[in-house]
Amino acid sequence: EQAGPLGLLVERTETNYAMINQDPVGQAQNSFLRVGDVLLSINKDKVRGTPDGYSRAMDMLAGVRPITIKFGRPSSKIHRLKYYGSDVTPGVRRGFFQEQDSRIQQVESIGQLQILTVSFNERGTLGMQCEVSSTNNAVIMAQPLDFSQARRVGVQMGDVILGVNGVNSFKDNGQSAIEALLALERPMSVLLGRPKTREEFVAFYGNTRGPPGGGAGGVG
C-alpha cells in the first residue's frame, strides 16, 4: 500500500505475460512473489496473455497504489508452455558479476538491457552527475560535461551504474557505486546499463517515461 516503487523487475514472455525475472526487493521483498511468477491480474484488472494487458500491467506497477496482484506459478510443462512460450523459464537472471583481478566482467544482461563497460584512466573529476533513483539505482541524471572524461568514453544521461571495479551496486541500493566514483580510483572500470524499453524504465527509473534529468545530486 505504500507509495513509490514496488521493487519488481519483470519482462514480457513470448506469450505476452508479465513475468518476474529477478528476486523482488523493496516493498515486494516480503511478498510471496518470486522469480518465474507471472502476473494474472492487478486490482482485479486482467493483465494476462495480451500485449494490451501487458502494457496495463506496466502502467499499474509504476504508480497505482494500493495494489493487489494475482499471480500464477507455472509448475508443469503445459503451464510453462502456456505462460512462458517454452518449457524453460525465460530470462531468469542468476547473477550479474564475477570478480577477478579487480575487473568487472559481464556475466549476463538483464532482459534486453544494453550493457557496456567504460574505463577511466585519467586523474581528476569524471564530469558526470549521478544520484540514486526512486528504485534505488545509481543513475546518471544529466548529460556529462563537454570535454569531460565521461563524455569521451561515451557515458550518457540515463545510464545506470551496475558496478564499479567488480563491486555489484545492487547490493546496497547504489550507494557503493557512488562512493567508488567519488573515490577517484584509477584505473576504474564501470559497468553501465542503458535502459531502452518501458519495463526497464520502470525497473531502473521508477517511471514509464524515460530517464530523469537535471537532478541536483552528484559525482564530480
Side-chain angles (χ1 to χ4, degrees), residues 18 22 24 41 43-44 47 67 78 89-90 104 109 123 133 137 159 165 168-170 179 188 214 218 220:
Q22 185 175 319
S41 69
N43 290 353
K44 298 185 178 180
V47 294
I67 188 168
I78 190 168
T89 304
I104 295 176
S109 63
R123 292 288 177 182
S133 71
N137 293 283
D159 285 350
N165 284 349
N168 182 345
S169 66
F170 293 124
E179 290 173 3
M188 180 168 61

Side-chain angles (χ1 to χ4, degrees), residues 75-87:
S75 57
S76 66
K77 179 176 181 179
I78 190 168
H79 286 150
R80 287 190 291 272
L81 290 173
K82 175 181 178 180
Y83 293 112
Y84 303 148
S86 71
D87 191 27

Side-chain angles (χ1 to χ4, degrees), residues 98-105 164-167 185 187 189:
Q98 60 184 13
E99 295 184 32
Q100 180 178 344
D101 298 330
S102 298
R103 295 193 301 262
I104 295 176
Q105 297 187 0
V164 180
N165 284 349
V167 178
E185 179 181 348
S189 182

Side-chain angles (χ1 to χ4, degrees), residues 96-100 103-108 117 166 191:
F96 302 106
F97 307 95
Q98 60 184 13
E99 295 184 32
Q100 180 178 344
R103 295 193 301 262
I104 295 176
Q105 297 187 0
Q106 177 187 343
V107 177
E108 289 184 286
T117 302
L191 190 67

